[in-house]
Amino acid sequence: MNETQTVSTSDVNPVIEESWKRVLINEFTADYFKNLKAFLLSEKKSGKVVYPPGKQIFAAFDYTPFDEVKVVLLGQDPYHGAGQAHGLSFSVPSGVKPPPSLVNMFKELQIEYGYPLPRNGNLEKWAKQGVLLLNATLTVRAATAGSHQNKGWEHFTDAVIRELSEKRKGIVFLLWGKYAQAKERLIDSSKHFVLKAAHPSPLAGGAFFNCGHFKKTNEILRQEGLEEIDWQIT
């Protein structure tokens, strides 16, 4: 057994939900993660504004413990506007105007379920029901999309997907857009369900609409004997 495998959870102190800390212990002690921490500290020391706030970086894991994940909704970067990012992919805090991609998600819900379009873009309700709202990169510099890509976060979130694929069964992975679909290689499709569609961004020209993924997800969960997701945001 190598050194990283014998490290106790007491030797690292990521502010993350305990079940995830146990599953990801080797990631937190890996060299790439140490380099990532050093990069984030350098951003702070140089006066850069980073989103989301430090205590919310691992919010997706805090809301959705490892054994409670039923659905994974993969995003790319946190929102880079002030007050938008709070650690959940596609979500914004209550009181913040929903961005265009999220508005299109709500329009798809209207198509599938007839829900009225909400003004609130906070998706914590989904996270609490077992939807892991995971961005591939968990931080971003203010006003600079993609600024924290290729700094180590992708190694970490790939590990998250692999651990779910290997140790869990029957999870629905929602892969919207080419970036998310590139992660399909990490998922054992003989154990899990993969639903692919265009990205909900307006840049996709409406190709996301009528994908039916919200209803399809609930059909799968029902077949698996799991409680369906109440997707309605009010």
Side-chain angles (χ1 to χ4, degrees):
M1 183 174 290
N2 65 37
E3 185 178 352
T4 58
Q5 290 173 317
T6 61
V7 174
S8 165
T9 56
S10 63
D11 294 329
V12 293
N13 190 32
V15 183
I16 190 171
E17 192 272 336
E18 281 298 319
S19 66
W20 284 107
K21 185 184 289 189
R22 289 191 295 272
V23 168
L24 299 170
I25 184 63
N26 286 349
E27 304 307 313
F28 292 120
T29 57
D31 286 341
Y32 84 83
F33 200 86
K34 295 173 186 176
N35 293 335
L36 172 60
K37 286 173 67 177
F39 166 74
L40 293 173
L41 284 172
S42 71
E43 288 279 87
K44 184 176 181 180
K45 287 180 180 178
S46 63
K48 301 292 193 305
V49 176
V50 173
Y51 300 133
K55 291 183 179 179
Q56 294 179 333
I57 290 174
F58 295 111
F61 305 95
D62 297 333
Y63 279 105
T64 316
F66 183 79
D67 291 327
E68 296 178 19
V69 175
K70 297 190 286 188
V71 181
V72 176
L73 177 49
L74 187 66
Q76 188 168 351
D77 273 341
Y79 297 121
H80 57 267
Q84 291 183 309
H86 67 142
L88 304 176
S89 65
F90 294 102
S91 180
V92 291
S94 300
V96 175
K97 182 181 178 181
S101 293
L102 183 53
V103 171
N104 281 348
M105 289 162 58
F106 290 151
K107 288 180 178 177
E108 175 61 23
L109 279 166
Q110 190 173 51
I111 292 169
E112 295 185 35
Y113 286 101
Y115 295 155
L117 294 179
R119 295 182 180 178
N120 173 35
N122 191 329
L123 305 182
E124 290 175 4
K125 175 182 177 180
W126 296 1
K128 292 175 182 177
Q129 296 178 79
V131 182
L132 181 65
L133 297 167
L134 180 67
N135 278 317
T137 304
L138 298 189
T139 57
V140 69
R141 190 183 305 152
T144 314
S147 50
H148 286 189
Q149 291 178 5
N150 302 314
K151 302 298 184 182
W153 279 128
E154 293 89 347
H155 290 288
F156 179 76
T157 54
D158 280 2
V160 170
I161 296 169
R162 281 196 300 267
E163 291 291 337
L164 286 168
S165 178
E166 292 173 8
K167 297 178 180 176
R168 295 288 314 283
K169 184 179 179 183
I171 293 173
V172 181
F173 288 85
L174 300 177
L175 305 182
W176 297 343
K178 291 181 180 179
Y179 184 89
Q181 289 163 17
K183 305 295 185 181
E184 187 176 8
R185 62 186 171 79
L186 304 170
I187 303 164
D188 184 347
S189 58
S190 70
K191 296 168 54 183
H192 301 283
F193 305 89
V194 176
L195 300 181
K196 294 184 285 187
H199 196 278
S201 167
L203 297 176
F208 171 74
F209 295 129
N210 295 296
C211 67
H213 280 190
F214 296 105
K215 277 195 171 181
K216 288 177 183 176
T217 295
N218 275 343
E219 289 171 4
I220 291 168
L221 294 178
R222 188 165 60 248
Q223 292 167 4
E224 293 291 297
L226 298 171
E227 189 172 348
E228 299 177 22
I229 305 299
D230 177 4
W231 298 109
Q232 186 169 14
I233 301 294
T234 55

